[in-house]
Amino acid sequence: MILTLFIILFALVCVGLVFFVLLQVPKQAGLSASMASGGSLLGGRGVEGGLIRTTSVLGGLFMLLALLIGVVSR
């Protein structure tokens, strides 16, 4: 019962993680262009900051659920 719930949550987190990773804009310029532009590295991201934060939370949930499924399935 609990294993089935974890697997369903795991599948939903996987779909959400793929969705939010695909929404992010690739950074083609690399680190050298960001240093040369003089812009701040940590602030002023707007929507991208929210996408990165959501992706990080979903990645953490992915790892946690994977560990829980491994422990419960024994």
Side-chain angles (χ1 to χ4, degrees):
M1 169 82 179
I2 193 83
L3 181 62
T4 305
L5 177 66
F6 283 156
I7 291 174
I8 290 171
L9 285 173
F10 189 71
L12 291 174
V13 167
C14 287
V15 169
L17 190 59
V18 168
F19 179 72
F20 281 105
V21 166
L22 289 176
L23 277 179
Q24 293 181 12
V25 177
K27 295 179 181 166
Q28 299 292 331
L31 185 61
S32 62
S34 66
M35 293 295 189
S37 68
S40 72
L41 292 175
L42 299 175
R45 290 197 236 200
V47 175
E48 284 185 35
L51 287 175
I52 292 170
R53 188 176 304 114
T54 304
T55 304
S56 300
V57 169
L58 287 175
L61 284 172
F62 176 86
M63 289 187 288
L64 179 68
L65 285 170
L67 287 171
L68 286 174
I69 288 171
V71 168
V72 170
S73 67
R74 287 187 182 186

